Every structure is written in structure tokens, then in C-alpha cells.
Amino acid sequence: MKKIIFIIIDGVGDKPISKFKGNTPLEQAYTPNMDELAENGICGIMHVLEKGKTPHSDEGHLALFGYDLNKYYPGRGPIEALGIGLKLSHGDVALRANLATVDKNLIVKDRRAGRIESTAPYVKLVNKTKIDNVKFIVKAGTSHRAAIVIRGKNLSDKISTNDPKKTEKKVLKVKPLDNSKQAEFTANVLNKFLEFSHKKFEDFKLNKERIKQGKLPGNYFLVRGPGHYKKIPSFKEMYNRKSCCIAGGGLYKGLGAIAGMKVLKVKGATGTPNTDIKAKFLAAKKALKKYDFVFLHIKATDIFGHDNNPDGKKSFIERIDKELPIVMNDILITITADHSTPCANKDHSADPVPVLIYHKDIKPDSVEKFGESYCRKGKLGVMQGKDYMGKVIELAR
Ligand code: ZN
Ligand code: ZN
């Protein structure tokens, strides 16, 4: 049984770019190591979800891990909550939150409270609040972000957001989205908690200081992405592989955690273009001694796609390629993406992503370079995301 490293280059798939003479950023990039793997391995392209459907990162990853999204997709809240290290119990409802600024009439003045540095001091004021036999567990994320977990009986995730999504609009009431008693109860108790937190924040010393310094106070939680947490089969249960996750961004750590992977801490892994790619590959190399399966997530390619920065995307791909030899060993290496993020779209698209699978005993196909158009001619053909992990595991036997 071969050890596996599964490398996601987030949003790497792109479209032909005229300044690159019709190459994509991946094709334009100088990537001798990826090309060596493509030459000695097998390639293909993949519709991560069904053909024509554009994946969000969380859906894309879960599909590639082999989960049936209809059955197991937990919603963004639980994934983010796990990603910042909260432990969830069966039945919890988790949400993402922004600390925002509202005025006396609850009109949103800034959805991120002036990009406040940290929500940690605010979270402390309201964490573990109990209302109507329900407990609210709150944890700070990065900068203005936090996660809220509602723990208790008779909860539902069929509730609306309170975020008007724009400034100069009034905070909305959370509403039930179906006729169940559970949804009504959850919306009700969450509204009480949000009101309670708002009062606490209004009186908070730190906010008074911020106002004195001319900064915006953080005084309201805007919540979204509710999801009911249920335990799903772990990666180990599905594939009998002891697995770990190396990622910078919270969402991706959460995706590893929800699949039961051990989430490793890597200094310098940020999930942004300034990330320490070498540190991540070195951590992966070390992890391969202890684990059978390493999920390595690299984010910034997606960010360059959203920013319509093909040059940035190309150079970032070259930086990844440079560190790749750290793990090029007697293991199975597979590289793909959770979706395409074409620079021209400044967003995700339904374009299929390139796939590469290599180990030294594999019978190679005729593809000699790693890129969207080359991979089309590969032996893997046109794959479906749901079949991908099964194929990888089969080839590693
Ligand atoms: Zn993504
Ligand atoms: Zn994206």
C-alpha cells in the first residue's frame, strides 16, 4: 500500500489568456517538477460536481474526498467552527459570524467593524451564555470573524441570516425558514442571544476606547451559514487510511477536521499569497512518516483568480513547483483543484480542473506537461469528482 499526498491547488484551473498566447496561467508557468510527474504519471480533467455546476470550495473538497453532498454536506457554519478549533457535538447548530458596527437604530455602518483586529475580547463577554436551556459557545476567528455554536435540544438550521449584506440597512431578524417548531425556537433564541450580545458590546469598555480613538465599535454579530452538525463517516472509516490535513485557511482545516483528519499546525501557513510553501511541504514530508494520507491545501491561486491577476497566479504556481521535490519520493502524488477560478471570471467557474496521479510504478500515458489542455488527452479521461478518491486509493494499492 503506497502512501498518498493529495495536493489541492485551490482554483488553479483557468481559461486561455491572450497575453499568455492562449495558455492558461498553469500552462504558462515554468513547472518542471509538475511536468515530470505528468510525464511519468497519468492525467485527465475532472468535473468536480456534476458537469456545468460551479463548486464552492467546501462542496468541491467534500466531493473530492468522496462524500455524497446530498447526504453529508453540513453547511458552512460547522466547517468554519471546526476550522477554528471548536469541538462540535451531534445536534449542534453552528454559524459564521462577523462583528459589525451598527448605530442606535441598528442600521449597519460597517459589516466588519472597521476590520477590527480581533473579536477575542468580545467573544469572552458572551461565550457560554445560556438562554432558554440553550448554550451559546462562541470562538474568535481571524480579524472580524467568529463562530457561534448553539447547543441544546430541539434545534434546527432552517433559519435565515440577520445580515442585510449592505451598509445603511437595518439588521434583520433571524426568521424560521420552515414551519417546524424547532426552526421557530432556534430563530427565537438566536435573536435573544444577538440582542443580549449587542447590549453587552454597547457597554463594553473597549468599544468606548475605540470610539475615543475615532475607531468604529464592534457592537453586533451578523450571522450566516447555519448548519446542523452531524458526524459523518471519517476518512479512516471510508478508506482505512490514517490521514492528516495541512492548510492555512480555517475553512480547509475545518474540511479536514470534518473528515476526521488530524489537522496539523504549520508555522507560516497563512492561506494567503505570503504563505510559507516550503514549510508546508516540509511538514507534509514529516507527516508522511506517521500518516498514510496527507491532504495538503494551497490557497492563493484562487485569490489571484478572484483578483484577475494572471501573472500573480502564474508566479505562485512556479513557487509551488519549486518546493514539490520535497515530497517527490516513493509515494503516490496526486494534484488537482476543488474548482477553476478563471482570472477572466474573477470567480469560480464550472470549467473542469486538471488532474494528475503519479507513482513510480504507474504505466504513464502520453501527457508530458501538467496543464488544462494537455490533461484533456490523458488516460484518466473526463472524470467525475465523486469517483476521484476511489481511483486514487485503488491506484495506491
Ligand atoms: Zn476553492
Ligand atoms: Zn474562491
Side-chain angles (χ1 to χ4, degrees):
M1 206 165 72
K2 289 202 156 48
K3 299 218 172 191
I4 298 171
I5 182 163
F6 166 46
I7 303 172
I8 286 283
I9 308 181
D10 203 304
V12 76
D14 213 301
K15 288 179 170 151
I17 288 171
S18 53
K19 71 183 279 196
F20 292 160
K21 297 196 180 84
N23 282 333
T24 65
L26 176 61
E27 290 164 353
Q28 186 73 6
Y30 176 64
T31 54
N33 297 307
M34 289 180 204
D35 294 345
E36 187 185 324
L37 296 179
E39 189 176 353
N40 297 299
I42 51 177
C43 294
I45 56 163
M46 175 161 61
H47 295 285
V48 176
L49 306 180
E50 22 328 351
K51 191 178 169 185
K53 204 168 166 198
T54 302
H56 292 295
S57 281
D58 51 358
E59 297 168 330
H61 280 81
L62 290 176
L64 296 182
F65 289 167
Y67 292 105
D68 176 350
L69 293 180
N70 294 321
K71 215 163 146 191
Y72 293 124
Y73 182 69
R76 187 79 175 239
I79 301 170
E80 297 264 356
L82 287 165
I84 58 172
L86 275 168
K87 297 262 178 290
L88 297 184
S89 303
H90 201 87
D92 287 352
V93 169
L95 303 106
R96 313 165 71 187
N98 273 12
L99 187 62
T101 307
V102 299
D103 70 8
K104 290 273 173 262
N105 302 313
L106 304 186
I107 305 293
V108 176
K109 291 291 166 186
D110 190 307
R111 292 182 61 255
R112 303 182 184 97
R115 291 200 176 264
I116 197 159
E117 305 74 32
S118 168
T119 59
Y122 297 82
V123 160
K124 250 192 197 160
L125 292 180
V126 296
N127 186 24
K128 297 184 182 166
T129 300
K130 274 191 182 159
I131 303 170
D132 297 344
N133 287 322
V134 164
K135 191 171 174 185
F136 288 85
I137 300 148
V138 192
K139 190 166 179 186
T142 50
S143 58
H144 57 276
R145 299 180 194 91
I148 298 176
V149 175
I150 318 176
R151 183 166 293 164
K153 290 205 177 87
N154 298 318
L155 298 174
S156 166
D157 60 359
K158 302 288 180 291
I159 52 171
S160 69
T161 175
N162 68 340
D163 186 350
K165 308 252 162 74
K166 278 187 185 139
T167 51
E168 300 306 329
K169 297 249 177 193
K170 194 173 175 182
V171 170
L172 306 169
K173 280 268 175 234
V174 176
K175 293 207 171 85
L177 293 178
D178 64 19
N179 292 325
S180 67
K181 278 205 171 101
Q182 287 86 345
E184 194 187 338
F185 171 71
T186 310
N188 204 0
V189 75
L190 179 56
N191 281 323
K192 285 185 191 173
F193 171 75
L194 295 170
E195 193 54 31
F196 167 82
S197 307
H198 174 54
K199 290 215 173 85
K200 282 266 182 193
F201 298 156
E202 283 287 77
D203 297 334
F204 190 25
K205 212 173 69 201
L206 198 64
N207 271 338
K208 294 188 172 148
E209 282 168 26
R210 282 181 69 85
I211 293 167
K212 256 191 218 155
Q213 293 162 1
K215 291 180 182 168
L216 291 169
N219 59 8
Y220 215 99
F221 276 137
L222 297 177
V223 294
R224 65 193 192 283
H228 220 152
Y229 175 71
K230 52 179 189 248
K231 220 172 164 335
I232 64 176
S234 70
F235 209 79
K236 171 94 179 148
E237 283 160 340
M238 293 203 295
Y239 304 113
N240 196 26
R241 294 277 176 154
K242 195 176 165 192
S243 57
C244 70
C245 158
I246 295 171
L251 176 67
Y252 310 95
K253 292 179 192 170
L255 287 161
I258 212 158
M261 298 176 186
K262 172 80 181 167
V263 179
L264 303 181
K265 282 202 181 95
V266 179
K267 207 172 160 248
T270 59
T272 63
N274 72 7
T275 196
D276 190 341
I277 302 174
K278 187 172 183 182
K280 290 172 90 170
F281 273 101
L282 286 171
K285 185 182 180 177
K286 196 171 155 204
L288 281 161
K289 292 193 184 124
K290 192 169 162 192
Y291 296 91
D292 310 313
F293 183 98
V294 176
F295 160 47
L296 174 61
H297 180 266
I298 303 175
K299 169 72 182 168
T301 29
D302 176 58
I303 299 172
F304 287 115
H306 284 285
D307 292 345
N308 186 15
N309 182 349
D311 291 309
K313 196 168 178 181
K314 170 187 159 281
S315 343
F316 193 79
I317 294 166
E318 289 172 346
R319 281 177 56 202
I320 300 170
D321 190 81
K322 199 168 146 252
E323 308 303 344
L324 196 55
I326 294 172
V327 294
M328 280 164 71
N329 215 325
D330 186 16
I331 55 168
L332 184 146
I333 303 175
T334 178
I335 307 178
T336 188
D338 51 340
H339 50 76
S340 294
T341 311
C343 292
N345 291 42
K346 291 174 126 185
D347 206 346
H348 304 180
S349 76
D351 295 295
V353 297
V355 191
L356 175 168
I357 305 177
Y358 162 88
H359 68 68
K360 71 173 179 31
D361 304 325
I362 223 163
K363 199 169 168 295
D365 57 21
S366 62
V367 177
E368 290 179 348
K369 281 162 96 60
F370 188 49
E372 294 85 337
S373 61
Y374 316 119
C375 285
R376 271 180 193 279
K377 297 170 193 137
K379 195 155 98 180
L380 288 169
V382 182
M383 296 185 80
Q384 298 291 316
K386 65 181 173 58
D387 303 324
Y388 166 72
M389 196 53 72
K391 185 78 189 168
V392 168
I393 299 286
E394 181 195 311
L395 286 167
R397 284 215 178 94

